[in-house]
Amino acid sequence: MYNDNPTLEGVVKVIKEERQGEVFFKESAQGLTSSDSKHFYIESYGCQMNFSDSEIVASILAGAGYQPTRNLEESDLILINTCSIREKAEDTVRKRLKIFNQIKTRKPGTLIGVLGCMAERLKAKLIDQEKLVDLVVGPDAYRDLPKLLIGAEEGEKGINVFLSREETYADISPLRLGSNGVSAFISIMRGCDNMCSFCVVPFTRGRERSRNAYSVVAEATDLYQKGYREITLLGQNVDSYKWENPETKEVVNFAQLLEMTAHVHPDLRIRFSTSHPKDITDEVLHTMAKYENICKYIHLPVQSGNSRILQLMNRTYDREWYKERVDAIYRILPDCAISSDIIAGFCSETESEHQDTLSMIEYAGYSMSYMFFYSERPGTLAAKKYPDDIPLKVKKSRLAEIIELQSKVSLRKNKADIGRTFKVLIEGDSKKSDQDFKGRNSQNKMIIFPKKGSYQPGDYVMVKVHDATSATLKGSIVD
Ligand code: SAH
Ligand code: SF4
Ligand code: F3S
């Protein structure tokens, strides 16, 4: 779930640049046009959950009288919502902070705040090291922003990195700033209780907690009424979603939540991310099969195809278990696409263990993958227990092999779609031409096709595929 651009081009971009920050545009902020209010600028890095959090932050700031801007020079408050997942992600943020600091030198009084996972990981160090940071706010402390801002305006450094066991921001209606008006994210849970040895997330996001199921359904209903046609339910491990109604003691699991959201409207598509191979149940797969509007696409990160490495990673499944889950998906949902996250060159990985990862890409037939080389993160179990002993050159060459094979598999899978007709949700103009629309099929594949008739973004159309690359399908509307 690291990037919302599910193309191989997107994958390569992530590896090269660790997801460039995205800026929320003033133009797309609805209902916030007063000219004398203060302005904030926010840049987001990392996973979809971080992007979703920025929309919660925007909503909280709007309540405190701030409106969004895309213009750094115009902003009174510059926020950067950060990611700690790999070293390079943090380096990118440090570079951006230097640029923000130059702006502050030109325009004293501008406040700079670090939000998200780096704020949580580095805490007060950020204020001590990067002298011009005024605010450090962790992922569970965003409600405190207005109060911290008042202090910061008076010259106090503001920090709150308290991790909560309850906070889900269930009552906050996110401000959909960077949105295309068609697709939106809904966070259904926060934190993570898995202790994958390579991963910093349990330390930066805290304990796992699930959000009130009825607040999720209410948000989905509201989005549908506002014209949205696709929602993605977000969590680090959605399959362990479990919410107990404190009054009735009724328990809602992930399959049941999927069913509840599928009922909002048959024209509202439901997606979700991320599934953990140890937790994805047949009940979820059967629920997906039962509803046409639950998309036939599962992001099921394998990380490694070798059982010994999986054990060192503390993923709690092995190669055989993973293959069985893949078999179950294709058995229950023959038309489902599966994608993955893969780490090359984890501690002590041998060449033949790396070959197991390559053969898993073939076995699972991933439509696409997000691929990374291992980056040791301070404080994680792997950093404490295992030497980071695979030379960078070897990590990079293994990663290149993984990318090359995935690209071949993606091309093969996409070519197999030539001649088929898919129901596509129109998202907007294609990047290359305003004569073409882009949209996705249920399997989350991007399809480009010429505009026709009066169709608009948010409409469903039937598109027949006549060409394919490893990243996209091309087609035309059939009536
Ligand atoms: N909750 C999701 C993953 C969140 S992090 C899951 O369990 O699948 C997104 C991806 O970043 C991970 O799946 C993993 O492939 C990658 N990643 C995490 N820590 C990493 C590290 N230390 N080095 C390289 N890649 C890492
Ligand atoms: Fe990290 Fe593992 Fe949790 Fe995913 S499931 S966020 S990889 S600890
Ligand atoms: Fe997401 Fe990065 Fe944090 S992947 S949870 S923003 S460390």
Side-chain angles (χ1 to χ4, degrees):
M1 62 182 281
Y2 187 70
N3 186 315
D4 62 1
N5 179 355
T7 64
L8 266 169
E9 279 152 21
V11 170
V12 174
K13 195 169 166 228
V14 170
I15 295 158
K16 284 195 192 134
E17 308 167 3
E18 283 294 342
R19 182 80 195 252
Q20 277 301 325
E22 269 179 35
V23 180
F24 286 149
F25 298 143
K26 184 178 172 181
E27 291 90 287
S28 53
Q30 299 135 4
L32 291 169
T33 47
S34 126
S35 59
D36 52 358
S37 64
K38 290 186 178 163
H39 290 90
F40 74 94
Y41 168 101
I42 186 163
E43 233 173 65
S44 306
Y45 292 81
C47 62
Q48 290 166 341
M49 298 219 60
N50 239 23
F51 283 72
S52 169
D53 278 4
S54 290
E55 300 188 330
I56 288 166
V57 167
S59 173
I60 292 170
L61 288 176
Y66 280 81
Q67 64 164 300
T69 174
R70 70 192 296 188
N71 180 355
L72 262 175
E73 307 283 341
E74 180 192 47
S75 55
D76 304 284
L77 169 64
I78 302 174
L79 295 172
I80 182 158
N81 197 356
T82 60
C83 174
S84 288
I85 203 83
R86 284 166 288 274
E87 199 177 347
K88 213 167 154 234
E90 292 199 348
D91 291 345
T92 313
V93 167
R94 289 203 170 84
K95 279 187 207 137
R96 291 302 288 160
L97 277 175
K98 289 211 176 88
I99 291 170
F100 298 160
N101 286 345
Q102 287 162 8
I103 291 171
K104 184 166 174 149
T105 324
R106 283 202 296 280
K107 199 182 153 200
T110 311
L111 298 175
I112 299 177
V114 177
L115 312 178
C117 291
M118 253 175 105
E120 196 61 52
R121 199 177 81 73
L122 297 168
K123 304 184 171 66
K125 275 191 212 150
L126 274 168
I127 291 182
D128 301 341
Q129 288 168 4
E130 330 279 338
K131 293 273 181 277
L132 294 173
V133 171
D134 302 288
L135 293 167
V136 176
V137 188
D140 287 345
Y142 297 143
R143 284 182 204 269
D144 212 20
L145 264 167
K147 201 178 90 207
L148 293 169
L149 274 168
I150 293 171
E153 277 162 8
E154 261 136 47
E156 275 170 40
K157 300 280 179 188
I159 177 160
N160 187 343
V161 288
F162 175 73
L163 282 175
S164 158
R165 278 179 173 253
E166 285 96 34
E167 181 63 272
T168 58
Y169 300 110
D171 57 318
I172 293 183
S173 175
L175 207 60
R176 310 276 172 191
L177 296 167
S179 161
N180 59 6
V182 177
S183 325
F185 299 132
I186 302 184
S187 289
I188 61 163
M189 57 206 296
R190 299 182 69 81
C192 183
D193 280 354
N194 296 316
M195 276 291 192
C196 302
S197 63
F198 51 80
C199 186
V200 80
V201 172
F203 304 97
T204 60
R205 293 258 163 183
R207 298 303 298 268
E208 185 180 291
R209 64 221 98 117
S210 296
R211 173 177 165 186
N212 181 323
Y214 295 99
S215 78
V216 173
V217 174
E219 195 172 328
T221 308
D222 180 55
L223 284 164
Y224 179 78
Q225 283 163 357
K226 289 184 172 139
Y228 287 81
R229 291 296 174 261
E230 182 176 80
I231 55 165
T232 304
L233 306 177
L234 291 181
Q236 294 296 354
N237 178 7
V238 288
D239 299 280
S240 69
Y241 175 90
K242 199 173 178 199
W243 176 74
E244 186 183 296
N245 187 328
E247 279 143 35
T248 62
K249 302 293 170 207
E250 162 205 24
V251 174
V252 180
N253 70 15
F254 183 58
Q256 291 159 333
L257 182 73
L258 267 182
E259 183 146 32
M260 286 161 76
T261 49
H263 280 156
V264 168
H265 196 282
D267 281 343
L268 184 70
R269 272 186 172 178
I270 318 296
R271 298 188 183 278
F272 54 89
S273 190
T274 300
S275 296
H276 195 298
K278 79 174 161 62
D279 292 319
I280 189 164
T281 58
D282 286 0
E283 188 192 1
V284 165
L285 303 179
H286 287 298
T287 307
M288 289 174 74
K290 196 167 150 196
Y291 293 92
E292 191 267 341
N293 60 332
I294 305 182
C295 291
K296 304 302 177 275
Y297 169 67
I298 300 175
H299 185 55
L300 194 71
V302 70
Q303 312 298 359
S304 162
N306 175 268
S307 295
R308 187 186 75 90
I309 294 295
L310 285 169
Q311 196 176 8
L312 293 186
M313 286 176 162
N314 202 22
R315 288 289 286 182
T316 69
Y317 55 86
D318 61 11
R319 182 178 171 88
E320 292 316 310
W321 173 279
Y322 188 89
K323 284 168 80 175
E324 190 282 324
R325 289 290 79 201
V326 168
D327 296 345
I329 292 170
Y330 289 139
R331 185 174 66 243
I332 298 168
L333 302 161
D335 211 16
C336 193
I338 307 177
S339 62
S340 194
D341 290 350
I342 298 171
I343 298 178
F346 186 66
C347 313
S348 79
E349 184 189 67
T350 65
E351 177 56 34
S352 83
E353 289 166 339
H354 161 64
Q355 293 296 326
D356 284 347
T357 297
L358 293 175
S359 70
M360 187 62 94
I361 296 174
E362 287 281 3
Y363 185 88
Y366 298 128
S367 57
M368 53 87 59
S369 292
Y370 300 111
M371 300 159 282
F372 317 96
F373 62 76
Y374 174 58
S375 161
E376 186 179 83
R377 307 309 294 132
T380 55
L381 295 182
K384 286 183 195 152
K385 275 168 73 180
Y386 314 121
D388 180 12
D389 54 0
I390 306 299
L392 187 61
K393 224 177 119 190
V394 177
K395 285 182 184 173
K396 284 189 173 170
S397 74
R398 286 183 189 166
L399 177 61
E401 280 177 43
I402 289 171
I403 292 173
E404 196 191 327
L405 177 62
Q406 179 60 65
S407 174
K408 275 189 199 145
V409 172
S410 299
L411 181 63
R412 193 169 70 220
K413 288 252 149 189
N414 285 353
K415 285 238 158 108
D417 288 336
I418 294 176
R420 293 185 65 189
T421 299
F422 293 100
K423 183 174 168 185
V424 172
L425 174 62
I426 305 177
E427 288 178 18
D429 286 359
S430 96
K431 246 190 234 161
K432 288 190 188 144
S433 160
D434 62 6
Q435 303 300 304
D436 292 339
F437 274 137
K438 65 174 177 184
R440 273 167 229 267
N441 64 6
S442 176
Q443 290 72 13
N444 206 36
K445 290 189 185 176
M446 182 66 84
I447 308 190
I448 310 292
F449 50 96
K451 292 182 178 175
K452 190 176 171 189
S454 57
Y455 292 119
Q456 294 297 320
D459 288 342
Y460 288 100
V461 282
M462 299 306 291
V463 177
K464 184 167 182 185
V465 175
H466 53 65
D467 202 2
T469 67
S470 62
T472 31
L473 304 177
K474 284 196 179 131
S476 44
I477 296 178
V478 289
D479 294 313

